[in-house]
Amino acid sequence: MYFFIVSCVLLDKRRHATTQSISVSFNGEHKLTTTFFILGFHHLDYFSQSNINTYKEDSMTTKEKKGHAYTLVLMVTSTAIGGTLQYGFNLAIMNAPTVFIQNFVNETFLERWGIQLGVYELTLIWTFIVSSFSLGGFIGALIAGPMSVRFGRKKTMLLNNVFLLSSSLLALLSRTAKSFEMIIISRFLVGINAGISMNVQPMYFGESAPKHLRGAVSLSSAVFTSFGLVLGQVVSLKELLGSEPCWQYLLASNAIPGFIQLLTLPWFPESPRYLLIDCGDKEACLMALQRLRGCEVQREELDEILQEQNETKGERAKQPWELFTDRSVRWQLITVAVLSSAMQLCGNDSIYFYASYVFQEAGISAGQIQYMAIGTGMCEFTACILCNLLIERLGRRLMLMGGYVLMTGWAIVFTVALSLENMVSWMPYLSMTCIFTYILSFGMGPAGVTGILPTEIFNQTSRPAAYMTAGSLMWLNLFIIGMIFPFLVSGLGQYCFVPFGAVCLLTALYIQMVLPETKGKTLSMITKEFYRLNYRGQVKMDIEGKQAQYQLGEIFHSTAL
């Protein structure tokens, strides 16, 4: 995972930059080596001798630059290991011990009160155990915004481990204490952890990454989520922790990534935008940018942050309900709400429910189905990596719309395959293919791109509230789908994926009609495009600088700060 992110950053830098190194000697003691990213002769005035002398004290040697070149990569890895990786991991580890935990609950009731639970009562308690994760995630999404404003992005991620480690301790001791209630509380606490990290981590990444890497770095949240899903499936194998004597250790194993984050994340800087805009600390912002970029701060990037600071000067962080009454962000908020809801209502999580049944119908033995399940997780992981590589080339809008269109098509094919599986011998194999292609389509677009948008279309004062709204809707819809999907299966049978296909089609149409492309654009450019929707029919806002379009690979770089 680490080497994949390093490769993405290095390849992007190699493709985007044309460099020329100039060395200047001062008193024979220090050598100042500055890398100039030259776009034209009209920028050469930035590189005057006086500016070099002014910036001499803050410059770094070539060796130091190379030593800090991987800071952004390491920060992403450290944050995500204890962040969105936990979401995928904690979803996956609950499948293998289902029967073991249900037996534990039954034995606990029998020992305490001498009551043998029936199938209905046992299923109800198990549903409550599973649903407590979604409920915790909903609470986590609500408190993520205030925490990120009060403590900052990095400190919030570190404090978030309190919920995780408490959850792990309760899960580890639940069997010894003979208390299934401890499992419920444990799942609720780890849900809070996942809810906070799913909101704060993309915000932290989006505010820390340079513009030309913003999409790829933010999308790494989805890559680590799918990696956590695969890791959880592997750890849940019967040969590892997925056996009856070890299920409590399986539930507590999520503490290991949390400890890794606690040991590594404190060494990395806070979000530069948070330091400058929220804290007003320009010096700390410059130091954070230098560490994350591995070189001197780009004039254009600092100007963009200063422009956002001026636009939000004197404003406090907004609350979610304030966004609903603010006409200037009306369509941004609607867009985030639609896409966050569609991410859960598209049926991707539900298709895992059908996976075991479809694999069984295709003739795969019960002992091999667990390995096929790992294949589905690897499928989503691979798709997220491909999306990471393509997002800065194809753009957010095309990736999102293409993913939902493909999912619509595969939902139709899957419905046909389920309807004809008793009439045509090879239909179960087509159904199995649909599972993999549906997951691939989801990973190639909605899984990763959805989490990037609030960072790109909201300013600093509205961003935490936007993530609170998006996260709350995501967890609420996950809870709703978990509750109604069994009834969809029993009521609609083989046609249960028709509603999901309809959601995917409507979402694709919405993206086509409303969502502008955000690739490589500053916040002011994106705001001007939404302005036409928010104030349709009124006097248009002056759009000075419209001619200055961002082009992939062009970077302004100067020592004259």
Side-chain angles (χ1 to χ4, degrees):
M1 176 67 65
Y2 168 79
F3 290 109
F4 162 72
I5 301 175
V6 171
S7 301
C8 287
V9 174
L10 293 181
L11 285 173
D12 194 277
K13 284 186 177 180
R14 184 177 299 174
R15 186 176 69 246
H16 288 65
T18 301
T19 64
Q20 175 182 352
S21 295
I22 297 177
S23 299
V24 182
S25 178
F26 296 94
N27 301 324
E29 295 178 357
H30 301 284
K31 180 172 282 188
L32 173 65
T33 302
T34 307
T35 303
F36 292 161
F37 291 74
I38 302 176
L39 299 180
F41 291 104
H42 57 287
H43 300 296
L44 291 177
D45 60 316
Y46 291 151
F47 305 110
S48 63
Q49 183 66 39
S50 61
N51 286 331
I52 291 176
N53 290 330
T54 302
Y55 203 65
K56 178 178 65 173
E57 294 181 358
D58 294 327
S59 301
M60 300 178 294
T61 65
T62 304
K63 183 176 180 180
E64 286 172 335
K65 287 181 189 180
K66 289 182 180 178
H68 290 299
Y70 303 110
T71 302
L72 178 62
V73 177
L74 293 172
M75 183 272 285
V76 167
T77 305
S78 173
T79 307
I81 283 177
T84 53
L85 181 142
Q86 293 283 5
Y87 173 67
F89 185 82
N90 285 290
L91 279 179
I93 61 175
M94 285 303 290
N95 293 327
T98 299
V99 176
F100 307 139
I101 296 177
Q102 287 179 345
N103 291 337
F104 171 70
V105 172
N106 213 348
E107 291 169 3
T108 303
F109 265 85
L110 192 61
E111 184 175 337
R112 286 183 186 175
W113 301 292
I115 299 174
Q116 182 74 35
L117 293 177
V119 176
Y120 175 80
E121 291 84 0
L122 193 59
T123 304
L124 185 63
I125 294 175
W126 174 249
T127 303
F128 194 67
I129 292 174
V130 173
S131 300
S132 61
F133 179 72
S134 301
L135 182 61
F138 179 74
I139 300 299
L142 290 177
I143 66 175
M147 285 184 68
S148 66
V149 173
R150 174 66 178 83
F151 301 108
R153 288 32 166 168
K154 187 183 80 170
K155 287 183 181 178
T156 298
M157 294 299 297
L158 291 171
L159 290 172
N160 194 26
N161 286 290
V162 172
F163 299 107
L164 174 69
L165 298 179
S166 301
S167 164
S168 301
L169 184 63
L170 288 171
L172 185 64
L173 298 177
S174 60
R175 191 167 190 173
T176 304
K178 297 181 179 180
S179 171
F180 66 88
E181 295 90 349
M182 292 174 69
I183 301 177
I184 296 175
I185 299 173
S186 170
R187 294 297 293 175
F188 176 76
L189 290 176
V190 81
I192 294 178
N193 172 270
I196 293 174
S197 62
M198 290 289 285
N199 282 3
V200 179
Q201 182 180 305
M203 199 188 315
Y204 186 24
F205 288 176
E207 293 176 0
S208 301
K211 186 166 58 176
H212 66 278
L213 285 175
R214 189 173 58 202
V217 171
S218 298
L219 190 58
S220 62
S221 297
V223 174
F224 275 93
T225 299
S226 56
F227 177 66
L229 185 67
V230 176
L231 185 62
Q233 290 171 332
V234 172
V235 174
S236 299
L237 290 173
K238 292 180 180 179
E239 293 82 358
L240 296 177
L241 297 179
S243 57
E244 197 278 334
C246 299
W247 61 262
Q248 71 274 24
Y249 302 111
L250 175 63
L251 297 185
S253 61
N254 53 20
I256 297 175
F259 277 120
I260 294 174
Q261 186 185 73
L262 284 173
L263 292 173
T264 56
L265 188 57
W267 301 99
F268 298 101
E270 178 58 90
S271 158
R273 289 178 183 270
Y274 174 80
L275 291 172
L276 182 61
I277 299 175
D278 290 86
C279 302
D281 193 340
K282 185 175 181 179
E283 183 178 350
C285 173
L286 283 170
M287 291 177 62
L289 284 171
Q290 286 180 353
R291 289 189 61 194
L292 291 170
R293 304 296 178 263
C295 60
E296 293 83 2
V297 182
Q298 299 169 19
R299 182 187 184 92
E300 183 195 41
E301 182 172 17
L302 188 59
D303 287 344
E304 180 193 342
I305 300 175
L306 288 170
Q307 180 184 356
E308 185 176 346
Q309 183 192 36
N310 290 331
E311 291 174 353
T312 59
K313 194 171 183 179
E315 295 183 21
R316 59 175 178 80
K318 294 182 179 179
Q319 300 298 326
W321 53 86
E322 292 179 301
L323 296 184
F324 289 97
T325 58
D326 187 352
R327 186 171 182 178
S328 65
V329 295
R330 176 179 298 173
W331 279 99
Q332 291 96 313
L333 187 64
I334 294 173
T335 298
V336 166
V338 168
L339 295 181
S340 298
S341 300
M343 189 175 173
Q344 296 299 335
L345 298 178
C346 67
N348 181 71
D349 291 332
S350 302
I351 206 164
Y352 285 99
F353 176 85
Y354 258 100
S356 298
Y357 167 76
V358 171
F359 294 151
Q360 205 169 20
E361 290 296 310
I364 298 172
S365 63
Q368 299 298 316
I369 287 179
Q370 61 175 341
Y371 301 105
M372 292 297 296
I374 294 177
T376 60
M378 283 298 300
C379 189
E380 184 170 338
F381 179 52
T382 304
C384 286
I385 291 177
L386 290 174
C387 184
N388 200 309
L389 296 173
L390 295 174
I391 188 169
E392 293 298 346
R393 289 183 175 274
L394 301 181
R396 286 71 158 143
R397 189 167 178 267
L398 180 60
M399 298 292 287
L400 268 175
M401 188 166 60
Y404 280 116
V405 169
L406 288 174
M407 290 169 72
T408 302
W410 289 117
I412 294 172
V413 176
F414 192 42
T415 301
V416 173
L418 289 175
S419 302
L420 301 178
E421 64 179 1
N422 295 324
M423 302 171 59
V424 182
S425 59
W426 50 268
M427 277 298 166
Y429 298 101
L430 180 59
S431 299
M432 188 166 61
T433 303
C434 289
I435 288 177
F436 287 102
T437 52
Y438 200 88
I439 294 171
L440 268 173
S441 303
F442 177 77
M444 285 291 289
V449 182
T450 304
I452 300 173
L453 292 178
T455 299
E456 296 190 326
I457 65 179
F458 286 93
N459 64 22
Q460 192 76 6
T461 58
S462 301
R463 198 170 291 137
Y467 268 106
M468 287 173 63
T469 304
S472 301
L473 286 171
M474 188 193 78
W475 287 100
L476 184 62
N477 283 292
L478 178 64
F479 178 79
I480 292 172
I481 286 295
M483 296 299 293
I484 70 171
F485 185 68
F487 299 100
L488 283 176
V489 173
S490 60
L492 299 179
Q494 66 269 29
Y495 302 106
C496 63
F497 266 81
V498 172
F500 298 136
V503 169
C504 292
L505 179 60
L506 292 174
T507 306
L509 292 174
Y510 177 87
I511 295 168
Q512 169 66 27
M513 293 186 294
V514 175
L515 182 65
E517 180 54 68
T518 62
K519 181 188 71 173
K521 296 179 180 178
T522 64
L523 178 63
S524 59
M525 292 179 183
I526 298 168
T527 301
K528 287 166 187 174
E529 296 203 38
F530 272 108
Y531 184 90
R532 298 182 178 91
L533 293 172
N534 292 325
Y535 296 95
R536 187 177 298 168
Q538 295 188 10
V539 179
K540 294 186 177 180
M541 181 174 56
D542 179 28
I543 51 173
E544 289 183 87
K546 183 180 178 182
Q547 295 82 3
Q549 296 294 325
Y550 171 81
Q551 294 182 6
L552 194 62
E554 293 188 356
I555 304 172
F556 292 88
H557 188 83
S558 170
T559 55
L561 299 178

